[in-house]
Amino acid sequence: MSYYPTVVVGAGPAGLTAAYELSKEGVTSITLEQADKVGGIARTEIYKGYRFDIGGHRFFTKVKEVERLWYEVLGNDFIKVPRLSRIYYDNKFFSYPLEPHNALTNLGIVNSLLILSSYIKAKLRPNSVEDNLEQWVINRFGERLYRTFFKTYTEKVWGMPCTEIQAEWAAQRIRGLSLRKAAINALFGTNNTKTLIKEFDYPRLGPGMMWERFQTLLNQKGSPVELNSEVVKIERQGNLIQRIQVRQNEEIRLVEGDNFVSSMPISKLVQLLEPAAPDSVIQAARSLEYRDFLIVSLIIDQDNLFPDNWIYIHSPEFQVGRIQNFKNWSPEMVPEEGKTCLGMEYFCSRGDNVWSMPDKDLIKLASVEVVNLGLVDGIELIQDGVVIRQPRAYPVYNGEYRRHLDVIQQFIKGFENLHTVGRNGMHRYNNQDHSMLTGILAAKNILGESHDLWNVNTERSYHEEVTETSAESKKLELATS
């Protein structure tokens, strides 16, 4: 049995941040990670020297404490990257955020007028009920724009009808926009509304570089980060966690602590408690749902395929949801001149046809789709590929999730020395900066302060929004993921 003042479960952005902040105050910890590398869904994978994200991670935040921490840890290893992404829909590429002239040209005058008419109708006669994403979006943008740009992609991501996704998700993830303001901007060339950032910071070797640096610093400070360490039981006495059981190399190890920080899925945490949680809490935990994800990374013998960081694929005839061009994140992600590495992202659920497809078939599917999209000149140019599967990538906001989460949240809050952090630790669709903020606040709570971690990221402004006054910001913002 070993003892550490603080035991951290999960070496993603939230868990590593908590451990690092404690180390600066002289509080030793141990961080236990089930996987073979740090970073969680923000890690960087490597295949034959090619580096790729598990989902793109732009480093931009309005949280100053997080920004300070990024530079403190990574310093000069950040590069500045231009922000460029587009939407593929109906065989056309739309600027993202939508630009009025580009959208008008692609949609045509008739469809654009119908969208405007639908918007006016929604403003004059809004739906009195606003429980789900479809109602929320239609009330703000009209039914025709909803069906054109929101519905198909959102249902591809979540695998369920928009009517089953809670409006709470829309309020958290969709940037504020106004069709009226966009029209005024287009006519008069002025704007004081919010737009998305034009560039962002990015670690030159991918986001995993950040978390690997955290790992190195913690190890140097005597707060070890141990990989391939699966928590199999959490022992408690009343409202105090006493120790955890960890499986390492097929052996069980006991780790005691005074405080415990957990970023493991909160549904799993509840089910590992001993003595067991009340039946109502266990049932609530079993009822939480997740959306899974896989990425097919293709190595292509072709240079400069397209300028975007990523492209959203809204057209329903393609299964791929988003395509990343890793060279456009950082040239150092691609080790060979004249080559490109694309990440074909598929949203799925464990056990479904896509998740269960053999790797060679997934590589073939991704290769055919990227060629049919016109992004690669021929399938013979695709030289290699690899598949990475990511379970529990996105907490699902379905019709029952809030009721179940409230039951779990109230139970977890009863523990004096347990702090849940991060996306899965709180079953909340946080960005990495908000996940890190929960880690910072958990550390402060352990040091004697009092912060409600559940209030993090409850504001509705999106983390990449900034206020600009230039004519360049005449853009219509749509959040599609």
Side-chain angles (χ1 to χ4, degrees):
M1 182 182 298
S2 56
Y3 162 82
Y4 289 86
T6 298
V7 179
V8 179
V9 179
L16 289 172
T17 298
Y20 180 74
E21 290 293 284
L22 288 170
S23 74
K24 293 195 295 185
E25 299 298 325
V27 179
T28 304
S29 66
I30 183 172
T31 302
L32 301 164
E33 170 56 49
Q34 180 176 349
D36 62 357
K37 59 175 60 66
V38 297
I41 198 173
R43 70 190 182 276
T44 297
E45 292 281 354
I46 303 175
Y47 176 72
K48 296 183 178 180
Y50 287 81
R51 308 177 71 90
F52 48 92
D53 296 10
I54 307 301
H57 290 82
R58 297 184 177 113
F59 283 73
F60 176 86
T61 183
K62 295 188 290 185
V63 183
K64 294 302 180 184
E65 285 182 286
V66 170
E67 185 176 58
R68 170 193 57 75
L69 195 54
W70 284 343
Y71 283 99
E72 178 182 316
V73 171
L74 210 54
N76 293 330
D77 282 314
F78 273 123
I79 59 174
K80 289 288 185 184
V81 181
R83 183 194 195 282
L84 178 62
S85 45
R86 288 178 294 167
I87 293 169
Y88 179 89
Y89 176 75
D90 194 24
N91 298 316
K92 301 180 183 71
F93 287 95
F94 292 79
S95 298
Y96 174 75
L98 291 179
E99 296 176 346
H101 181 266
N102 171 262
L104 181 64
T105 300
N106 281 344
L107 290 170
I109 187 66
V110 173
N111 199 15
S112 297
L113 289 173
L114 289 172
I115 286 173
L116 182 60
S117 174
S118 176
Y119 167 74
I120 293 171
K121 177 182 176 182
K123 288 302 177 184
L124 292 176
R125 289 188 294 171
N127 193 324
S128 59
V129 178
E130 201 173 88
D131 292 333
N132 60 52
L133 185 143
E134 178 173 294
Q135 295 163 341
W136 193 97
V137 173
I138 289 175
N139 270 0
R140 284 155 182 79
F141 316 121
E143 183 170 358
R144 196 170 184 92
L145 189 62
Y146 158 74
R147 297 195 178 280
T148 301
F149 283 113
F150 286 88
K151 187 177 189 297
T152 55
Y153 183 80
T154 304
E155 293 184 349
K156 185 184 292 189
V157 171
W158 294 105
M160 67 175 70
C162 288
T163 53
E164 295 180 14
I165 302 171
Q166 289 298 283
E168 179 183 350
W169 178 87
Q172 180 181 338
R173 297 297 298 188
I174 297 181
R175 292 64 138 178
L177 67 87
S178 166
L179 292 183
R180 179 181 60 82
K181 288 181 180 179
I184 292 172
N185 295 339
L187 289 172
F188 299 106
T190 59
N191 188 21
N192 59 1
T193 59
K194 292 176 179 176
T195 185
L196 296 189
I197 60 172
K198 297 295 193 296
E199 65 177 12
F200 55 90
D201 289 322
Y202 190 75
R204 60 183 181 81
L205 296 177
M209 188 181 191
M210 171 72 73
W211 319 120
E212 290 158 14
R213 188 71 55 81
F214 269 98
Q215 179 184 16
T216 298
L217 292 171
L218 283 165
N219 285 333
Q220 290 173 351
K221 290 173 177 287
S223 292
V225 178
E226 299 190 2
L227 305 177
N228 301 303
S229 301
E230 180 188 6
V231 175
V232 295
K233 190 171 294 183
I234 302 170
E235 299 180 19
R236 68 186 181 106
Q237 184 172 6
N239 60 355
L240 287 173
I241 305 297
Q242 292 184 307
R243 65 186 66 86
I244 61 175
Q245 295 185 21
V246 185
R247 181 183 291 117
Q248 296 173 317
N249 299 321
E250 302 306 320
E251 295 183 358
I252 298 298
R253 172 188 174 191
L254 294 177
V255 183
E256 287 189 336
D258 299 321
N259 283 282
F260 295 80
V261 178
S262 174
S263 65
M264 73 159 58
I266 197 169
S267 57
K268 182 178 179 181
L269 181 150
V270 165
Q271 296 179 71
L272 292 180
L273 288 171
E274 186 180 272
D279 289 344
S280 60
V281 178
I282 293 176
Q283 183 57 45
R286 288 173 177 166
S287 300
L288 291 182
E289 296 182 10
Y290 300 84
R291 186 68 164 159
D292 307 306
F293 166 92
L294 65 82
I295 184 168
V296 183
S297 286
L298 301 175
I299 298 172
I300 300 162
D301 189 18
Q302 193 173 347
D303 201 5
N304 301 319
L305 292 176
F306 52 85
D308 310 70
N309 311 122
W310 61 41
I311 297 174
Y312 298 97
I313 309 301
H314 284 218
S315 296
E317 63 267 27
F318 293 98
Q319 292 187 65
V320 64
R322 191 170 64 179
I323 303 175
Q324 295 196 62
N325 190 335
F326 296 114
K327 182 185 289 185
N328 294 341
W329 291 86
S330 170
E332 293 187 61
M333 303 282 277
V334 177
E336 297 181 84
E337 292 290 335
K339 302 291 179 68
T340 300
C341 183
L342 298 183
M344 307 285 286
E345 300 181 0
Y346 292 86
F347 306 101
C348 48
S349 297
R350 278 182 291 183
D352 69 13
N353 290 337
V354 173
W355 181 270
S356 303
M357 194 179 296
D359 287 4
K360 63 180 179 60
D361 293 338
L362 283 167
I363 292 169
K364 181 179 179 180
L365 169 66
S367 300
V368 169
E369 291 204 318
V370 77
V371 171
N372 288 344
L373 282 161
L375 298 175
V376 175
D377 289 343
I379 203 162
E380 70 279 359
L381 295 171
I382 301 172
Q383 297 184 328
D384 201 355
V386 65
V387 178
I388 301 293
R389 291 172 173 81
Q390 178 61 50
R392 294 191 176 100
Y394 308 107
V396 171
Y397 286 41
N398 58 19
E400 296 296 317
Y401 108 97
R402 171 49 61 187
R403 178 170 63 86
H404 299 312
L405 186 58
D406 284 345
V407 171
I408 299 169
Q409 183 179 336
Q410 290 307 309
F411 175 70
I412 292 296
K413 280 187 171 183
F415 287 90
E416 296 179 13
N417 63 342
L418 175 62
H419 314 265
T420 54
V421 296
R423 176 179 287 191
N424 279 338
M426 307 179 79
H427 201 81
R428 177 172 290 166
Y429 196 170
N430 286 332
N431 296 300
Q432 66 176 350
D433 59 336
H434 285 123
S435 291
M436 291 181 71
L437 181 56
T438 63
I440 290 172
L441 296 180
K444 290 185 175 187
N445 284 351
I446 290 170
L447 294 168
E449 298 184 19
S450 180
H451 301 275
D452 186 353
L453 276 58
W454 293 92
N455 281 333
V456 172
N457 197 19
T458 55
E459 77 281 2
R460 295 189 178 185
S461 62
Y462 183 64
H463 84 299
E464 287 189 22
E465 287 177 344
V466 293
T467 299
E468 295 195 357
T469 56
S470 69
E472 291 182 306
S473 60
K474 305 191 300 285
K475 294 186 178 179
L476 184 63
E477 299 164 15
L478 295 180
T480 50
S481 74

